[in-house]
Amino acid sequence: MTKPPASPRTHTHAALAPRPLPPLLLLSLLPIASWFVLRPFLDPFPPLPGLYTSFGFSLFAFASVVYLVPKAGPSFVKAGLWGRDLLKVYGDPVPESQGLICASVYILTLILFIPFAFSDAFSSHFNSKSKSEPEGLSVNEFPLYQLSVYLSSILSIIIAAILGFLDDVFDIRWRHKLPIPVVASIPLLMVYFAEGGNTNVVVPIPFRGMLGLGALVNLGPLYYIYMSLLSTFTTNSINILAGINGSEVSQALIIALSVILNDLLYLPWPVDFSIPVHLLGSQREVEIGGVWSAGMAYGSREMVERHLFSLYFMMPLVGVCAGFGYHNWYPARAFPGDTLCYFAGMAFAVVGIQAHYSKTLLLFFMPQIFNFVLSCPQLFGLVPCPRHRVPRFSPETNLLYPSRAKLESKDGKPRPPSGLAALILRTFSVLGFVELTFGHDGEITETTNLTILNVLLVRFGPMREDRLVKVVVAVQIVGSVIAFLVRYGLASLVYDGDRR
Amino acid sequence: MTKPPASPRTHTHAALAPRPLPPLLLLSLLPIASWFVLRPFLDPFPPLPGLYTSFGFSLFAFASVVYLVPKAGPSFVKAGLWGRDLLKVYGDPVPESQGLICASVYILTLILFIPFAFSDAFSSHFNSKSKSEPEGLSVNEFPLYQLSVYLSSILSIIIAAILGFLDDVFDIRWRHKLPIPVVASIPLLMVYFAEGGNTNVVVPIPFRGMLGLGALVNLGPLYYIYMSLLSTFTTNSINILAGINGSEVSQALIIALSVILNDLLYLPWPVDFSIPVHLLGSQREVEIGGVWSAGMAYGSREMVERHLFSLYFMMPLVGVCAGFGYHNWYPARAFPGDTLCYFAGMAFAVVGIQAHYSKTLLLFFMPQIFNFVLSCPQLFGLVPCPRHRVPRFSPETNLLYPSRAKLESKDGKPRPPSGLAALILRTFSVLGFVELTFGHDGEITETTNLTILNVLLVRFGPMREDRLVKVVVAVQIVGSVIAFLVRYGLASLVYDGDRR
């Protein structure tokens, strides 16, 4: 996905004609989406009206992205926002940075949703009519003071999207890129501070005795640094697990779906339920129900509100990612650019911080954490890092092979790795993460690049690009399943019910 | 300011080397700005601490823009964001769309200001220490609920900036451009609605009897349309009064300064004062003082808060516009692009709406209103409208002359104007707004273009570009003086004290 300076060929490869739209699907979606948006106004009034509207808006967002991406493609190419697909036999221009369309639709959806979630006008309308609802199922979930939290979240996401797009346009250098998410998190931090946000964290049980701490410790300013770092991580970690068609957008999609599943556990449902944590080895007493008969919320209205807040951000994100995935799937007709990774990563950071489940969120990022840790020797210069670390494409076999980094100095002379680097590479080799090449003297001369994509190719052998992205999707799903097991099985060993 | 597709020459004309920075000025500004930012923490605590901080931030914003614009110039040219100056003898590339830098600095300033204006932490600190202040001079001017209004205003401005930049990158067509400010005003409208904003307007006294209305009339949904139209007007009207070096930025600067002057009239001052409106022919009884001894606020705390809100947006705007003007002044080293007009226009609309003085605001836009009304025959197709209507530059004399539109059909055949068009053109000619050319048969064959710039050239004769922009500045200043006379002299004839 390099961007050569010359103008693209106008000739278009047949394989790259825009993917045809599914008109029946799109047209049938519109009435369904409209019904969900308007559901809160229909008798009988539902207990969580905002949820219906948000779901309806998410369907609209999906349809808009599916429709707009191919429509806007030529304008992107004309404006110089295009690239060639490095892992294909053809060299046709593919529109780049189209994550901008996702970001625009996403942000507009969030803004249009404001009156539904926060309006006094709507909520009093519901309240007066839903007196017959069961006690506790209040409809006015969002008091007005939460509006500024919602707005600051949108501001952070919009800034991340702009900075991602500017990165695409101006091609910002790597070291200038890193602080971008910190800048984007400023509105979040400012409003958190202005509202006197909670900077306490729960101390894991084993540490309490050890360090002589109480159940809660006030991190103060450190909490703000933690929030900035969280957004830096969620943003960049998706961005570095990129390079093959559909990889960025499917990561974002699966993480968002995992977050949604987790949120749903905390909502009030018509039936009482709770996860049978005792089957997972937890000794914790399982309370069910309460005024809010919400699964894991254990009667806490605040918990329900936080997870609703999270759903309002995650459902439209799933909508735009799914819509974009339709065109970004192998062989890609559109590239996301950094814009998509930035705004989606920021959206995850926002919900993790505002809904206070950042540790659970990080569990859903396990493949990204693995990829980041694996990359560190190359990111920090222990092992040479070529310009591109995407797998190598062979036009003859149409397969992807692990790409390699030569252990040589900048002038092309062989340079054996330092003791530490050799130790790391040999350990990775034993674990099956890399394939090493050795010289006559037994020194390492080459290694496969340290990314999860290359690890998968080393472990499972060369494969086609579309198969590799499916393996990545599978890894992400397995990661989420493990995350749920850890969160609801093991976490109770080190944390009690006091979650903040 | 056309953008040819080829790469620019790398050779740079001597006249176009970046304007040297005034290092002494910038360096001496930093301690002054820091003092103002930190002033609220110094004993004795000032009555309006946010105002000091905002002023300090505005100085920082000025210095940042002065410093960043030339620094970022080469990146803009490299990214294809450049144009040639049509009114010069040289054809060197000038960085275009650098209003983006102003927008970024402006928005970051507004965001960093949040804790100073809205934080409980700060205000309780002040409140506990300033018990000795005179009664009424409360320090916690902004209750937390106003934070969401502030945030929605930033959102609208940021969206306007993005859309302006996208317009620069994608070269959006004229008819697609018009709704842009409407999209940008959505966050404003949504939050206004969610907060149950006031949709009443005061009816002018003469109409009350005539139409049988009370002093207030509730416009309801019409009020939202009015707000959208206001932002459409403030945004586009600056954009169409463009084309010569420094014209956009100096309009924005003078309007912002006029708004600030107006705001200052409503703040509490150490001395009691009020404008001697009786000298201007007003019969209204002049109340002075009150608990808030604020000139024109007549003791209304709400009025003081509104105008503080306005100042918090206008002072940084003056900062970034002045900073950009330094590089955009004749001969321009940087072009603002649509980005500047969009975000500055939106900032005016925001304060006009949120601080409830949209009618006064429109008075400061008199030259723009005149330019718009004058342009209508060309905008709506009564008179042919060439691609560019900027004055014509003659390299021989180095002067600008009025540019002309030929009254001909698209295939180049002469087409006499319709009866209405001829009437309008002849009227404009009598008023001295246009110069007409007549054919043998007495039909109009050519007219000077219908913009204020051409009117000034018709009236005052050909002049150099730097002189013309000074004339434009003078017109804008005279407009503001008249605006103040109308607002504080004549307005009381048709409105009583009940202002909303």
Side-chain angles (χ1 to χ4, degrees), chain A residues 111 115 120 148 151 159 190 194, chain B residues 111 115 120 148 151 159 186 190 194:
Chain A
I111 290 173
D120 268 349
S148 55
L151 290 171
I159 291 178
M190 292 292 136
Chain B
I111 290 174
D120 267 350
S148 54
L151 290 171
I159 292 178
I186 291 177
M190 293 291 136

Side-chain angles (χ1 to χ4, degrees), chain A residues 72 75-76 78-79 81 100 104 107-108 111-115 118-122 144-145 147-149 151-152 154-155 158-159 162 165-166 169-171 183 186-187 190-191 193-196, chain B residues 72 75-76 78-79 81 100 104 107-108 111-115 118-122 144-145 147-149 151-152 154-155 158-159 162 165-166 169-171 183 186-187 190-191 193-196:
Chain A
S75 305
F76 276 71
K78 206 175 133 209
L81 295 166
L100 181 67
S104 310
I107 290 159
L108 197 62
I111 290 173
L112 288 174
F113 182 61
I114 292 172
F118 301 101
S119 169
D120 268 349
F122 283 127
L144 209 51
Y145 76 87
L147 178 55
S148 55
V149 174
L151 290 171
S152 71
I154 297 180
L155 260 178
I158 209 170
I159 291 178
I162 299 170
F165 184 67
L166 292 182
V169 171
F170 290 106
D171 236 337
V183 173
I186 291 176
M190 292 292 136
V191 171
F193 180 78
E195 299 222 315
Chain B
S75 305
F76 276 70
K78 206 176 132 209
L81 295 166
L100 181 66
S104 309
I107 289 160
L108 198 61
I111 290 174
L112 288 174
F113 182 61
I114 292 174
F118 301 101
S119 169
D120 267 350
F122 283 127
L144 208 51
Y145 76 87
L147 178 53
S148 54
V149 174
L151 290 171
S152 71
I154 298 181
L155 260 177
I158 209 171
I159 292 178
I162 299 171
F165 184 66
L166 292 182
V169 171
F170 291 105
D171 236 335
V183 173
I186 291 177
M190 293 291 136
V191 171
F193 180 78
E195 301 222 314

Side-chain angles (χ1 to χ4, degrees), chain A residues 4-28:
Chain A
S7 259
R9 283 187 288 155
T10 46
H11 154 82
T12 299
H13 194 274
L16 276 186
R19 193 156 284 162
L21 297 183
L24 211 66
L25 172 71
L26 289 185
L27 286 178
S28 60

Side-chain angles (χ1 to χ4, degrees), chain B residues 8 63 129 208 230 263:
Chain B
K129 304 227 177 165
R208 288 182 200 168
L230 183 70
D263 288 332

